């Protein structure tokens, strides 16, 4: 043990003495390990860790799917919930939940908070008891019971401090709710901003058969210990089959739509959209780490050659090969540990930067942290890297005749062909890895540029959006809501600086919108053709003008489109082409209904007065195959609406005026979810932007490290061949020839790396193909452009040592 401590102390002194090597190695390790630490923290927290609920592997999500109707992923309905409770045995618990917003506070001081409506079984299913008080009981989900609420831990502290809130009253949407419990500090379900949980109170109308396939609620299930997902799926499909027989009026429609219910592992389903992105980024930082390690390995190879006389001297004084190898390993392991500690610091900073850059939008973002497991893996990786770095010179040392160093009579020992080949192979590996990564970055960058070039068919500049919800306690019917909506729009139209004031139930690139089945009068469907469920938007006059949505034909909504006038609608060009091919749709009629399905209600037909361009509602890159149809807001009262305001100047400068205008009409109406349309557009590109910027950043680091590797090998080669170059120059060889000789050596390394990296990129193209828009994963332009960039960087890296070789003085070189 004493010898080991002695080796460590000697290793530290050696590293301090050779400060250039130590600083270069530590900086490379800190950067590479830090990036990996930050990225692995995210991957571990989001993808690998189980959910923070007891036996979370038994929690599943359940949703209806109508793939042929364009609704691949829908939700579940209230009748589904009761059917599955009664008709299945695979589940220990079933629960419904829905994210919503609630207005709290006393009159004149409204505050809008994120909330969740849940069945009382929700907390039992998750097996999370309250921190204080209790959760909801089954009776509290019934109509007629006193209204109760459960608070999040954060909301309790924000609103009540250390005071016990259990038993106190909280005013929600103008009605008193009794607080019965507070959830634990670390309880988060999907949205970390959820403040209050209230019971879903199911009316007879909500669970009636007429509301079948009105999918508005998310459903969770907890499997019994003896049950599997396949068994649960089969039992639900059996319930669906029985319902087909009970309700024959739905049968043909559902069959044509390809209706089925999907049961999936909840954790896997939660991260379905982010999994490929995170794995891609983790692969990128691993490549950076590998390139960095190759760089350090090359440095160590060069350094070990330079230390030959030192090692030979120690051997001559009696140190055996085993002791020398142990010394080298101790020194490199110290280097690895120091690099790991610095890497943890860099990783922590990178993680904070990553989270502030928009990563908080990804699922399970609240779970992301630098925990003990990640720290242990980082330090273990550092130890492994240190061991490998020590093995490299140790292998060269083992069995070598160190006494031969003294027989060279002080002259520089020529570098062996094997050592030179090893360093060249390492550089080729660096270039290949950097090229493959840079191709991935180039493809994502091209894809992102293509995304930015998409015309969404609306103008986002100078548009302010906000939300207003009318509580049913004060606006209980359509007439009251209609009047208040009209007053709000009229008042906002009078605010100086607002060009167009309008309202709607949905805005582009915001996921708060509804899809509903639409039909056209006289349309004859083809055999087996499914109904479609396009996006349904209710909008006021001025909506199309505020967003500058182009009209193909007809007109937009006007003030004449009010209650009691002819019911009107606007459709987009996709629906016009589908339902009115070869005909002018203006004057024709559509309905929010299914032809031939009798639900005992009279169909309300709407006359088409305009055809608009198809708007990118979900994303700039997604398929817009279902289209949109619009109803006039004065004819279709709604309790929730988005305000859509086009302004003359900066939209944010009018925020106070907008809030004041609404408060003048009703002091209890909060204006919330305020954003410019530019911000909404930018946020919709968040995940795409993050992966593009990070992979481009990783690729740039990889290229820089590869360039340093090429430079290092050539610079060392020039130093070792100084005498040879001096002889060439003394014998009359032109300096340009020497320049080309060194440059050609570097270009050979570059060419080898480009060939291997290009082949690797083609073989791995399938991993990025699903993330691209408007560019093929093997696009030759990207490959050639990236190769040109990498070649230019490599040329600069080669040029410095090549020029240095031409400046060698023959006499000095021969005397050295």
């Amino acid at each position: 043990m004493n010898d080991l401590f002695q080796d460590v102390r000697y290793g530290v002194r050696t590293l301090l003495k050779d400060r250039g090597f130590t600083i270069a190695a530590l900086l490379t390790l800190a950067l590479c390990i830090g990036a990996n630490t930050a990225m692995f923290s995210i991957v571990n927290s989001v993808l690998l860790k189980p959910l923070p609920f007891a036996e979370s592997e038994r929690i599943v999500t359940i949703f209806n799917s109508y793939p042929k109707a364009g609704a691949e992923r829908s939700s579940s309905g209230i009748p589904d919930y009761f059917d599955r409770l009664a008709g299945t045995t695979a589940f220990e618990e079933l629960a419904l939940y829905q994210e919503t917003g609630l207005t709290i506070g006393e009159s004149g001081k409204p505050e809008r908070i994120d909330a969740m409506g849940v069945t009382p079984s929700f907390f039992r299913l998750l097996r999370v008891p309250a921190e204080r008080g209790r959760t909801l009981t089954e009776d509290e989900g019934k109509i007629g019971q006193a209204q109760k609420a459960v608070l999040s831990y954060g909301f309790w502290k924000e609103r009540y401090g250390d005071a016990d809130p259990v038993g106190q009253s909280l005013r929600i949407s103008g009605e008193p709710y009794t607080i019965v419990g507070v959830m634990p500090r670390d309880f988060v379900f999907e949205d970390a901003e959820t403040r209050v949980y209230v019971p879903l109170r199911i009316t007879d109308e909500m669970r009636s058969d007429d509301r079948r396939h009105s999918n508005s609620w998310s459903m969770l299930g907890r499997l019994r210990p003896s049950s599997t997902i396949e068994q649960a799926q089969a039992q639900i499909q059996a319930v669906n089959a029985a319902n087909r027989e009970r309700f024959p009026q739905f049968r043909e429609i559902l069959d044509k739509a390809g209706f089925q219910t999907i049961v999936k592992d909840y954790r896997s389903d939660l991260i379905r959209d982010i999994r490929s992105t995170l794995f891609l980024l983790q692969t990128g930082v691993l490549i950076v780490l590998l390139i960095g390690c190759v760089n350090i390995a090359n440095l160590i190879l060069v350094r070990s050659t330079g230390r030959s006389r030192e090692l030979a001297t120690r051997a001559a004084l009696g140190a055996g090969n085993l002791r020398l190898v142990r010394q080298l390993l101790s020194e490199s392991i110290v280097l690895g540990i120091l690099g790991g500690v610095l890497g943890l610091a860099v990783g922590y900073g990178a993680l904070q930067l990553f989270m502030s850059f928009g990563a908080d939008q990804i699922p399970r973002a609240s779970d992301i942290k630098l925990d003990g497991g990640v720290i242990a893996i980082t330090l273990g990786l550092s130890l492994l890297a240190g061991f490998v770095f020590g093995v490299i010179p140790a292998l060269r040392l083992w069995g070598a005749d160190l006494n031969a160093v003294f027989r060279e009579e002080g002259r520089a020992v020529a570098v062996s062909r094997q050592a030179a080949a090893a360093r060249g192979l390492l550089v080729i590996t660096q270039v290949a890895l950097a090229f493959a990564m840079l191709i991935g970055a180039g493809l994502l960058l091209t894809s992102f540029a293509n995304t930015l070039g998409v015309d969404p068919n609306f103008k986002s500049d100078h548009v302010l959006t906000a939300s207003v919800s009318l509580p049913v306690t004060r606006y209980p019917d359509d007439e009251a809501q209609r009047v208040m909506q009209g007053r709000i729009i009229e008042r906002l139209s009078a605010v100086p600086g607002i060009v167009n004031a309008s309202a709607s139930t949905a805005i582009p690139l915001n996921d708060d919108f509804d899809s509903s089945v639409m039909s056209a009068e006289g349309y004859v469907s083809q055999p087996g053709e499914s109904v479609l469920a396009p996006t349904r938007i209710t909008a006021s006059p001025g909506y199309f003008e505020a967003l500058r949505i182009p009209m193909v034909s007809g007109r937009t909504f006007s003030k004449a489109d009010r209650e009691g006038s002819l019911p009107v609608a606007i459709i987009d060009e996709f629906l016009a082409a589908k339902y009115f091919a070869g005909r002018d749709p203006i004057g024709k009629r559509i309905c929010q209904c299914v032809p031939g399905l009798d639900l005992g209600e009279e169909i309300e037909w709407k006359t088409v007065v305009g055809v608009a361009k198809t708007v990118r509602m979900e994303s700039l890159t997604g398929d817009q195959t279902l289209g949109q149809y619009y109803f006039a807001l004065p004819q279709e009262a709604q309790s929730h609406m988005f305000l859509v305001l086009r302004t003359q100047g900066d939209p944010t400068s009018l925020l106070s005026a907008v809030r004041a205008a609404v408060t003048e009409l009703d002091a209890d109406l909060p204006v919330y979810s305020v954003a410019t349309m530019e911000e909404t557009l930018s946020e919709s590109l968040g995940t795409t932007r993050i992966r593009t910027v990070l992979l481009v950043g990783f690729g740039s680091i990889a290229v820089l490290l590869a360039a340093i590797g090429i430079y290092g090998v050539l610079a060392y080669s020039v130093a070792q061949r100084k005498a040879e170059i001096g002889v060439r120059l003394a014998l009359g060889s032109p300096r340009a020839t020497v320049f080309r000789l060194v440059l050609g050596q570097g270009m050979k390394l570059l060419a080898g790396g480009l060939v291997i990296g290009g082949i690797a990129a083609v073989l791995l193209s399938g991993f990025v193909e699903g993330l691209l828009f408007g560019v093929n994963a093997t696009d030759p332009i990207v490959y050639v452009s990236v190769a040109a960039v990498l070649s230019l960087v490599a040329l600069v890296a080669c040029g410095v040592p090549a020029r240095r070789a031409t400046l060698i003085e023959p006499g000095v070189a021969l005397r050295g």
Side-chain angles (χ1 to χ4, degrees), residues 693-756:
V693 170
L694 288 180
L695 201 61
V696 168
F698 297 155
S700 300
I701 294 173
V703 170
L704 177 62
L705 291 175
I708 291 173
I710 293 175
Y711 168 81
V713 166
L714 293 184
Y716 186 73
S717 175
V718 169
Q720 293 296 315
R721 298 173 64 184
K722 189 174 182 180
E724 174 200 337
I725 294 172
V727 171
R728 287 175 178 269
L729 293 174
L731 294 176
S733 180
R735 294 186 183 271
T737 301
V738 172
F739 184 88
R740 288 194 298 272
L741 177 68
V742 177
L743 191 67
Q745 182 182 351
M747 289 297 100
K748 288 178 182 178
L749 298 177
L750 172 68
L754 290 179
V755 171
I756 296 173

Side-chain angles (χ1 to χ4, degrees), residues 77-86 94-96 119 121 202 219:
I78 301 294
D80 293 325
Y81 175 66
F82 289 101
D83 287 346
R84 294 163 191 172
L85 278 175
L94 287 170
L96 294 177
T119 56
S121 57
I202 301 172
M219 183 179 289

Side-chain angles (χ1 to χ4, degrees), residues 249-447:
Q249 67 270 31
F250 291 107
R251 187 186 307 155
E252 182 181 358
I253 297 165
L254 295 178
D255 288 345
K256 288 181 178 179
F259 167 67
Q260 59 180 323
T261 300
I262 307 296
V263 181
K264 284 191 173 183
D265 172 68
Y266 176 64
R267 185 181 72 88
S268 299
D269 189 65
L270 187 66
I271 57 177
R272 65 189 183 278
D273 293 331
I274 197 67
R275 182 187 289 108
S276 57
T277 291
L278 292 185
F279 277 138
L280 177 67
L281 294 177
Q282 181 64 74
T283 301
V285 293
L286 284 173
I287 291 176
V288 169
L289 176 62
L290 186 56
I291 294 174
C293 288
V294 170
N295 248 1
I296 296 174
N298 248 333
L299 280 173
I300 289 175
L301 274 175
V302 171
R303 184 168 177 262
S304 64
T305 303
R307 295 178 67 186
S308 297
R309 180 170 292 277
E310 173 205 339
L311 296 174
T313 301
R314 297 192 68 196
L317 294 175
N321 277 347
L322 184 61
R323 181 62 187 270
L324 294 177
V325 168
R326 194 176 66 196
Q327 171 61 58
L328 292 172
L329 285 174
S330 300
E331 185 179 311
S332 64
I333 287 175
V334 168
L335 182 68
I337 292 175
L338 290 175
V341 172
L342 289 175
L344 284 174
V346 172
Y348 179 80
L351 190 60
Q352 303 309 308
L353 180 64
F354 188 74
M355 295 302 293
S356 66
F357 194 61
D360 56 334
Q361 300 173 20
I362 68 179
R364 303 188 67 186
S366 60
D367 294 338
I368 296 174
K369 58 185 176 182
L370 196 65
D371 60 17
V374 174
I375 293 174
I377 290 174
T378 298
L379 294 178
L381 182 66
S382 304
L383 280 171
L384 178 62
F387 178 78
V388 172
F389 296 152
V391 166
I392 294 171
L395 289 176
R396 296 188 67 241
L397 174 66
W398 195 263
D401 182 10
L402 294 176
N403 292 322
V405 174
F406 296 111
R407 292 196 294 269
E408 296 298 325
E409 298 179 354
R411 299 179 64 85
V413 182
V415 183
S416 70
R417 292 183 179 181
Q418 292 83 356
R423 286 197 296 274
L425 183 60
L426 289 176
V427 170
I428 289 174
T429 302
Q430 283 183 303
V431 174
L433 292 171
F435 187 40
M437 177 182 282
L438 208 59
I439 284 174
L443 290 170
L444 288 180
L445 193 60
T446 304
S447 175

